[in-house]
Amino acid sequence: MILAPSHASPERHLSAALARALAPRKPLLVSEWADLHRRLSAKGSARPGQWRTDANPPLREPMDCLSARSPVRDVVCMWPIQFGKTEINCNAVGYTMAHNPGPLMVCLPGEVSLGKYIDQKLGPMLEETPAVRATLTSIASREASNRRDFKDYEGGQLYIEHAGSPARLKSTSVRTLIVDELDEFAANFTGGDDPLTMLEGRTSAFPGTYKRLYISTPGIRGLSRTEMLWLKSDQRRYHVPCPHCGELQPLEWAGLKWGPHATRVHYLCRECGAEIQEHHKREMILQGHWEPANPGARLRGYHINCLYYQPGLGPDWQTLVELWLDCHSDPARLKTFLNDRLAEPWEDPSMRSVRHNLVADRAEPYALRTLPDGVLAVTAGVDVQDNRLPVQLIAWAPGPSLGTLRSWAIDYVELPGDPAEDAVWTSLTELLNTRCCAATARACTSRPPPSTAAATAPRPSRPTSAHAASAGPWPSSAPCPTTPPC
Ligand SMILES: [Zn+2]
């Protein structure tokens, strides 16, 4: 806005200010807001200063899905490292705080990544971007409204959580949810909760306006949650025109060619076969666009790889080829290259021949705690955990040849309680004294195998009344000592 000249009357000055204050705010896209307001700090960026979306055009469309007027609700980005994943995150956070306020959560895999995010990205973004800083209701670090992992701002709150705190994750409702490195979440979740289900529940109070963004490099094929989301998405890849024939195509690792010792690295156009040099790349990317392979899917998905790194923002093609030649014969390092640079899930070749349903195919139905015919004995394996005793009951019967045994897992129970207290041991005693039903008219109780009892009982003197600790050597093929014998 141009300020009123000094000779303007006070009334004109006042009305101009009022008009500005009352004028409807022009709705901006996330990329437009970032180009106007976002400042990159030297603390967290190789190129400090004003943000420019044109410096890395593939970021524009995924970022704009987080805009207030975009109809897109869920976005998954299966991306390589060093491709601006965290910058998308920060731009979406800044935009939501300064332009489209509402409750907002950023979720990271663990405490370490959370600390790094706050110190290297969020903190500098808040410091360097006045438009965002001005929204904070307090900048005093001692205020409850400005904790390290919580910021109160005009029109909303920003929660920063990690997968190691599922209790807090379960209790917060937000309109915008940003999940960084989704594939690392599963390993950090405790209590058997499904990370995706729990995270999706955070936005259920905003059915018509929520936004969810998942950004991650993928992990192992078939287990990667990012890949699962990607497969359900509309699967967009960034298509760029060949500088020789104009054919639009995504850049793929298979298209990169090189001579001996990683010399003469170039890309081969899939249409005309002409050599594309790396110096063509910037212009090609500028003229490119995202193209869905699965149009119509509700979930928006973006996948890109290291061939699209802009000069100065990641390794060039020659360096990538050298990295490839260095690691391609070592499965562990090859996995890292595939996940981190190509953003492809890793498939272990030795697992291809494994039929995942093989065990299920061989299973026979039977009722729990019911002994099949021919059972000689039942053993109980007891593990001692800090807050429970997991118990598995196994029934044993003669095998098809002399000296062999067949077994059935007839029950598995977790007894909650502190092993230092009596209550859980009393529960164990009751469990072990409970008779198992026999398929025919027989029954028995169970005793743990001696090795388990000796290895896991924390206080051998404690459960004197429990079957578990009173057991002496008891060969699994011997009859159960309780009556009637099995
Ligand atoms: Zn071509």
Side-chain angles (χ1 to χ4, degrees), residues 351-410:
M351 294 296 287
R352 282 185 199 142
S353 58
V354 175
R355 286 174 53 208
H356 295 287
N357 55 354
L358 192 64
V359 175
D361 288 349
R362 291 183 176 180
E364 301 167 9
Y366 60 92
L368 288 177
R369 293 187 75 84
T370 300
L371 305 179
D373 284 341
V375 167
L376 297 173
V378 177
T379 58
V382 185
D383 190 12
V384 180
Q385 296 289 325
D386 290 345
N387 58 354
R388 65 192 190 282
L389 299 180
V391 186
Q392 187 177 38
L393 301 181
I394 307 279
W396 301 90
S401 55
L402 190 64
T404 61
L405 290 171
R406 294 182 71 195
S407 67
W408 294 262
I410 60 167

Side-chain angles (χ1 to χ4, degrees), residues 164-473:
S165 59
R168 290 206 310 185
L169 279 184
K170 278 179 185 169
S171 60
T172 311
S173 239
V174 293
R175 190 189 66 194
T176 304
L177 172 69
I178 300 172
V179 182
D180 214 341
E181 289 306 339
L182 172 66
D183 265 31
E184 290 179 32
F185 271 60
N188 293 343
F189 260 59
T190 53
D193 290 301
D194 175 63
L196 268 180
T197 308
M198 188 195 280
L199 290 167
E200 283 170 3
R202 298 310 92 229
T203 55
S204 54
F206 299 86
T209 55
Y210 75 86
K211 299 276 184 186
R212 291 190 293 239
L213 169 65
Y214 302 93
I215 320 180
S216 186
T217 49
I220 295 172
R221 172 149 289 152
L223 299 176
S224 164
R225 288 178 190 280
T226 311
E227 185 201 20
M228 288 178 206
L229 286 176
W230 159 256
L231 291 174
K232 285 198 287 184
S233 76
D234 64 357
Q235 301 178 11
R236 292 178 182 233
R237 294 179 195 271
Y238 201 77
H239 285 56
V240 292
C242 167
H244 308 290
C245 70
E247 168 76 4
L248 281 163
Q249 56 200 295
L251 298 178
E252 295 168 339
W253 186 252
L256 202 63
K257 306 295 173 192
W258 57 88
H261 310 296
T263 53
R264 289 191 54 251
V265 179
H266 58 277
Y267 194 88
L268 274 194
C269 171
R270 71 178 182 188
E271 178 65 20
C272 69
E275 291 186 8
I276 299 172
Q277 304 301 327
E278 184 151 25
H279 65 79
H280 292 122
K281 191 169 69 174
R282 183 192 285 272
E283 188 58 29
M284 289 163 67
I285 291 176
L286 205 57
Q287 294 177 23
H289 68 272
W290 291 99
E291 187 94 20
N294 182 29
R298 189 189 61 81
L299 174 63
R300 188 65 70 87
Y302 296 95
H303 177 225
I304 202 159
N305 61 45
C306 57
L307 296 184
Y308 293 84
Y309 284 142
Q310 291 284 342
L313 294 180
D316 59 17
W317 287 354
Q318 169 143 6
T319 309
L320 289 167
V321 169
E322 287 165 356
L323 283 172
W324 167 264
L325 293 174
D326 198 36
C327 76
H328 77 285
S329 55
D330 177 346
R333 291 164 65 210
L334 182 59
K335 174 182 179 299
T336 305
F337 186 89
L338 252 70
N339 290 163
D340 288 358
R341 297 299 182 186
L342 301 186
E344 296 281 358
W346 165 259
E347 184 173 4
D348 187 340
S350 64
M351 294 296 287
R352 282 185 199 142
S353 58
V354 175
R355 286 174 53 208
H356 295 287
N357 55 354
L358 192 64
V359 175
D361 288 349
R362 291 183 176 180
E364 301 167 9
Y366 60 92
L368 288 177
R369 293 187 75 84
T370 300
L371 305 179
D373 284 341
V375 167
L376 297 173
V378 177
T379 58
V382 185
D383 190 12
V384 180
Q385 296 289 325
D386 290 345
N387 58 354
R388 65 192 190 282
L389 299 180
V391 186
Q392 187 177 38
L393 301 181
I394 307 279
W396 301 90
S401 55
L402 190 64
T404 61
L405 290 171
R406 294 182 71 195
S407 67
W408 294 262
I410 60 167
D411 206 357
Y412 174 81
V413 181
E414 291 200 351
L415 302 172
D418 183 351
E421 304 291 333
D422 286 332
V424 71
W425 294 102
T426 306
S427 303
L428 177 63
T429 304
E430 286 170 4
L431 176 73
L432 296 178
N433 285 334
T434 306
R435 285 175 177 259
C436 299
C437 303
T440 52
R442 292 175 304 145
C444 77
T445 52
S446 55
R447 304 184 74 177
S451 58
T452 307
T456 59
R459 298 172 307 160
S461 60
R462 165 69 60 184
T464 50
S465 61
H467 237 129
S470 64

